Amino acid sequence: MRFSYIRLLADDYEACFRFYADVLKFPVLWGSEETRYAEFEVGSSTKLALNQREVVAEALGTDADDPHLPRQDRIAVIFEVDDVDAKAAELLAAGVPMASPAKDWTAWGIRAAHFRDPDGYLLEINRPLRV
């Protein structure tokens, strides 16, 4: 696994986009204030991504306002893997709780599966879809 992104899941996506693009002046690699997803160059091989929080909650079928999970999906740690299905099976065998099974997210251009760490943080394993 290769650490590839930290993805912040924002309630106020537009304000956060302006903060990272205009205040911190991180170059925008992909996205805009309107796209609800953006990637920023932060001077590292790991990138910073910003996503509208509701988009991820909707995609995973979770409740962004669940009072039992106050930190639920405020941040996602993203790892790129060579084989999503094999790594997902390995994590399941190790007892890691699955949040979303491996599938193609064609709108996102990736195959991904989602898990939770022991404290409930969202982890994504993915690889780009082959074109």
Side-chain angles (χ1 to χ4, degrees):
M1 292 196 325
R2 294 167 297 284
F3 185 47
S4 57
Y5 288 88
I6 292 179
R7 186 180 299 148
L8 305 178
L9 308 178
D11 286 319
D12 189 344
Y13 172 85
E14 293 84 4
C16 287
F17 180 89
R18 288 189 304 273
F19 175 78
Y20 289 104
D22 300 338
V23 176
L24 295 185
K25 303 200 183 302
F26 290 142
V28 178
L29 297 172
W30 192 95
S32 70
E33 193 172 330
E34 293 83 32
T35 58
R36 302 190 315 163
Y37 179 82
E39 296 175 3
F40 299 91
E41 172 59 50
V42 292
S44 165
S45 61
T46 301
K47 294 176 183 66
L48 175 66
L50 182 64
N51 215 161
Q52 179 76 36
R53 188 172 183 222
E54 290 86 21
V55 170
V56 175
E58 181 180 299
L60 296 180
T62 59
D63 182 357
D65 297 317
D66 187 338
H68 301 291
L69 297 169
R71 291 185 310 266
Q72 193 253 350
D73 299 338
R74 300 293 298 169
I75 188 168
V77 181
I78 315 303
F79 296 94
E80 186 176 330
V81 297
D82 294 325
D83 185 329
V84 172
D85 297 279
K87 182 54 78 173
E90 180 183 319
L91 293 172
L92 278 173
V96 179
M98 180 178 271
S100 173
K103 69 178 191 176
D104 290 349
W105 300 83
T106 53
W108 298 356
I110 58 173
R111 180 164 184 78
H114 298 88
F115 293 85
R116 300 241 178 239
D117 77 1
D119 208 39
Y121 288 105
L122 184 64
L123 306 176
E124 177 180 290
I125 57 170
N126 74 35
R127 71 165 171 72
L129 288 173
R130 309 280 191 252
V131 255

